[in-house]
Amino acid sequence: MSGDAPRISGSSVVKLARGVRLREDPVRGQTVLLAPESAMALDDIAVAIVEALDGKRSLERIAADFAEKFDAPVARIAEDVETFIHELAVRRMLEIVE
Amino acid sequence: MRTSVTSAGDIARDIPRAPPPMAMLAELTHRCPLACPYCSNPIELTRANEELSTEEWIGVFRQAADLGVLHLHLSGGEPASRRDLVELTRAAVSLGLYTNLITSGVGLTGARIGSLADAGLDHLQLSLQGVSPESADRIGGYQGGYERKMAVAAWVAGAGIPLTLNAVCHRENMGEIDAMIELAIRLKARRVEIATVQFHGWAERNKAALMPTREQVERATRTVAEAREKYQGVLVIDYVPADYHSRYPKACMGGWGRVGLNVTPSGRVLPCHAAETIPSLSFENVRETSLAAIWYDSDAFNAYRGEDWMPELCRSCERKKVDFGGCRCQAMALAGDASATDPVCIRSPLRERLTREADALSTTQSAGLIYRGR
Ligand code: SF4
Ligand code: SF4
């Protein structure tokens, strides 16, 4: 039995694990990421990142696409993506596609 | 936003308007093939013919979704004892509710788990009474229960439903926490929830047999901390430590009437599963009153909202925003007063006596188990 957590890097392709889903919450006027025993209210950037986890693009690719779309420095966006993805990974909310 | 309401005693109280509820626990039935001595169901179990019908439950789910509930927990008793479980699941999912089944596994077959997956069940929590057939079946009071659970875990993994393993720990199995965590990984669970026994319901009768010792509690805390580090990113470990051995009480239910609500098998709506142990409160039923009216306006839900009800000890304490004065049912059980400071709080005048009692109970020899009624 290995206790090693799967490594996630810029070249990883990930998607939301089954049982984790994005939902509109009309009563509170927000978007939430639902998982067992947790409901995370997301800001617009986080929603955009979650929606970009299509199981096809790597995290680097996603950051580069955002940088182009929002005309922002890729390094800063890559850092945002990485921080958020790490948080989701620790909570077992992601599935690593490759 | 604050609204002033008049309570039964005709004293105007300032009660902050509650936020919408996040979670609902639907106790579909009290029927259960197991007989765990720490079962949190009330001593007076609801009979099958008093249970809400399929249509009534679906109506409650719809009201809950409209009210802002995001997570729905289908629980019991054993929810698989309801023949309409798949239908209820499908209805809940179609309302957008994140639907979680809390089950002992007994009563589930591979085919039924397949149907639950097709119905869109988001997550399943499987209770574990022990890590070996002998210990699990002794605590659950059900022969073959352990074996069935292992089969259920495999079917759940096969159907792709995310799995959490739930275990209640107490004096008899406190040393098995390591093994529970390893079993969870073997069964491909993503989470394990290990909660120290709370002395409500049937557990109260088994206090002498179940109360962990101080050494056990300390060892468990270390074990959990080590395992969390070791399995980071592999397994999420939720651990609820023993009340009696902590300094401060827990924010029971995230605060009375703040986060969640419970619906009993016959439709009574409670702020927490043990709330009916508070004799001064009466609870309304979804058969007569809407869920929204019960949540926002009922006396029972408003009884311990805000701070006006608090004893001075809590009102002047900065932790009141963290633990809300602790558990009301525990205050009732141990202090004889539901609006007292939770006696497990280190600041409570009752705490010293409680610690002595817990220490004495935890070293009581050969206390036999009293099983839950079926
Ligand atoms: S705690 Fe045990 S007896 Fe009580 S409902 Fe759960 S499985 Fe059944
Ligand atoms: S005095 Fe009351 S508010 Fe303060 S820690 Fe104890 S229970 Fe919590």
Side-chain angles (χ1 to χ4, degrees), chain B residues 7-58:
Chain B
S7 75
D10 252 351
I11 309 153
R13 283 215 294 137
D14 227 11
I15 295 171
R17 175 148 173 103
M22 301 286 289
M24 181 167 88
L25 186 102
E27 295 175 359
L28 297 180
T29 178
H30 277 159
R31 286 172 283 153
C32 183
L34 271 62
C36 307
Y38 48 71
C39 183
S40 63
N41 282 170
I43 305 292
E44 282 289 329
L45 297 169
T46 299
R47 287 201 304 273
N49 61 8
E50 296 164 30
E51 291 173 10
L52 296 183
S53 68
T54 309
E55 291 68 38
E56 284 174 313
W57 272 120
I58 294 174

Side-chain angles (χ1 to χ4, degrees), chain B residues 62-352:
Chain B
R62 184 171 298 116
Q63 291 187 53
D66 289 346
L67 197 54
V69 167
L70 299 172
H71 282 97
L72 173 68
H73 305 285
L74 301 176
S75 175
E78 173 47 58
S81 304
R82 290 277 306 209
R83 298 170 70 167
D84 54 3
L85 181 62
V86 173
E87 195 180 342
L88 291 174
T89 302
R90 193 178 301 113
V93 170
S94 73
L95 290 161
L97 294 163
Y98 188 100
T99 308
N100 175 34
L101 179 66
I102 304 176
T103 177
S104 69
V106 178
L108 288 177
T109 59
R112 215 155 170 222
I113 289 169
S115 307
L116 287 166
D118 291 343
L121 183 69
D122 286 292
H123 182 252
L124 187 143
Q125 277 175 249
L126 182 65
S127 70
L128 195 69
Q129 282 72 21
V131 290
S132 69
E134 298 73 38
S135 68
D137 294 352
R138 192 179 96 76
I139 293 290
Y142 185 84
Q143 274 304 311
Y146 180 82
E147 217 168 291
R148 173 47 65 100
K149 282 166 199 290
M150 297 303 112
V152 165
W155 290 323
V156 168
I161 305 172
L163 174 70
T164 290
L165 227 52
N166 281 5
V168 172
C169 62
H170 44 78
R171 187 155 88 233
E172 289 204 12
N173 69 0
M174 211 70 183
E176 292 181 349
I177 290 183
D178 254 334
M180 285 172 195
I181 292 170
E182 280 174 18
L183 182 59
I185 290 174
R186 225 164 36 237
L187 296 176
K188 301 195 172 63
R190 275 191 222 160
R191 271 176 77 242
V192 64
E193 229 180 77
I194 301 170
T196 308
V197 62
Q198 301 222 4
F199 296 104
H200 301 305
W202 298 85
E204 167 72 34
R205 302 189 165 181
N206 288 297
K207 230 171 169 170
L210 299 178
M211 180 70 78
T213 66
R214 190 165 289 277
E215 296 74 56
Q216 283 183 316
V217 172
E218 282 160 11
R219 199 166 337 113
T221 307
R222 280 199 303 275
T223 304
V224 169
E226 283 163 18
R228 274 192 182 139
E229 202 168 312
K230 182 167 173 202
Y231 297 117
Q232 200 199 62
V234 175
L235 184 74
V236 175
I237 304 172
D238 278 344
Y239 172 58
V240 184
D243 261 348
Y244 285 48
H245 299 87
S246 310
R247 288 175 64 79
Y248 297 112
K250 284 187 271 293
C252 188
M253 294 293 289
W256 186 274
R258 285 183 83 251
V259 181
L261 46 87
N262 270 39
V263 183
T264 72
S266 59
R268 277 191 311 285
V269 186
L270 315 177
C272 91
H273 65 265
E276 287 177 300
T277 58
I278 302 176
S280 60
L281 300 179
S282 59
F283 299 96
E284 297 184 48
N285 194 300
V286 282
R287 280 178 166 142
E288 285 110 37
T289 313
S290 76
L291 207 58
I294 297 175
W295 175 259
Y296 288 112
D297 305 325
S298 70
D299 287 345
F301 274 81
N302 280 326
Y304 305 111
R305 278 180 173 146
E307 293 167 12
D308 282 8
W309 63 271
M310 285 183 181
E312 183 50 33
L313 192 62
C314 291
R315 221 178 308 139
S316 60
C317 170
E318 49 191 48
R319 280 187 60 89
K320 68 184 174 189
K321 300 236 186 293
V322 180
D323 63 32
F324 310 99
C327 172
R328 296 303 92 225
C329 306
Q330 193 147 268
M332 184 71 230
L334 301 175
D337 172 9
S339 52
T341 294
D342 188 330
V344 308
C345 177
I346 203 81
R347 303 183 63 206
S348 161
L350 297 173
R351 172 57 196 253
E352 246 190 73

Side-chain angles (χ1 to χ4, degrees), chain A residues 28-40:
Chain A
R28 298 173 191 79
Q30 58 186 13
T31 306
V32 285
L33 188 62
L34 297 177
E37 306 289 333
S38 91
M40 250 194 250

